[in-house]
Amino acid sequence: MATPEKAAAVAELTDKFRSSNAAVLTEYRGLTVAQLKTLRRSLGENAQYAVVKNTLTKIAANEAGITLDDQLFAGPTAVAFVTGDPVESAKGLRDFAKDNPNLVIKGGVLDGKVMSADEIKKLADLESREVLLSKLAGAFKAKQSQAASVFQALPSKLVRTVDALRAKQDEQGGAE
């Protein structure tokens, strides 16, 4: 029978899995408390980094409807639960792991889809949501200005054509 503390921990982890956009599992063996504090700050405001028990985390993930590979639960595990932009947190983890090779990204979940460590690193290579949205807005604005210039060219071309026809008629009328 599970103890009330373990049941509460599973319930809390299940809630975090359900309410997060993403969850990244890492191995933190060999990191100091100061390094973990730095890591938590580098993840941004929309992420919580928590050291977890493997068995309880696996049970919580299953209860949240997420099936994770048993290999993700080998060794000491910590999970970054992301409620905001997952790209920002993935970049924070990747950059911290470059400087601190003791942090190993094992894998994770993004919007219910299980991801490998390589896929999380690819996610970190993406630009942030704000940058992508601004690029999209810029592309829309460029298309609108192109359309406006096309629409503006039609009447001016029509006016030039009418003027050319008048000039031609005046020439023909003056030649008679």
Side-chain angles (χ1 to χ4, degrees):
M1 187 62 106
T3 65
E5 293 85 15
K6 288 183 181 179
V10 168
E12 181 182 351
L13 288 170
T14 302
D15 184 51
K16 284 184 179 183
F17 272 113
R18 286 183 179 149
S19 65
S20 299
N21 298 340
V24 181
L25 282 78
T26 64
E27 182 176 326
Y28 64 94
R29 186 187 330 244
L31 293 176
T32 65
V33 172
Q35 288 172 321
L36 287 174
K37 188 175 181 182
T38 303
L39 172 59
R40 284 184 176 99
R41 272 191 253 117
S42 71
L43 292 178
E45 295 177 7
N46 298 321
Q48 290 182 331
Y49 189 74
V51 174
V52 294
K53 293 189 179 283
N54 289 335
T55 306
L56 301 181
T57 305
K58 186 172 182 180
I59 293 168
N62 286 334
E63 286 184 10
I66 302 165
T67 305
L68 296 172
D69 189 13
D70 288 341
Q71 293 176 355
L72 294 177
F73 298 102
T77 303
V79 182
F81 292 103
V82 183
T83 55
D85 184 11
V87 174
E88 178 186 356
S89 297
K91 284 183 183 189
L93 285 167
R94 178 199 60 195
D95 295 344
F96 187 86
K98 282 181 185 176
D99 297 335
N100 300 283
N102 287 335
L103 180 73
V104 177
I105 298 172
K106 298 181 188 181
V109 180
L110 176 64
D111 293 328
K113 180 187 175 287
V114 177
M115 299 179 72
S116 69
D118 290 335
E119 290 172 322
I120 291 172
K121 289 174 184 170
K122 286 179 186 175
L123 179 67
D125 292 336
L126 289 177
E127 293 174 333
S128 71
R129 182 176 189 273
E130 290 77 20
V131 171
L132 292 175
L133 287 174
S134 66
K135 283 185 176 184
L136 181 64
F140 281 145
K141 184 177 179 185
K143 291 297 179 189
Q144 287 176 342
S145 64
Q146 287 174 349
S149 59
V150 166
F151 293 138
Q152 187 178 10
L154 291 175
S156 64
K157 187 174 183 180
L158 177 66
V159 168
R160 286 193 304 268
T161 304
V162 170
D163 284 344
L165 284 173
R166 274 196 201 133
K168 189 173 184 180
Q169 283 180 347
D170 287 344
E171 282 179 20
Q172 289 175 353
E176 292 178 7

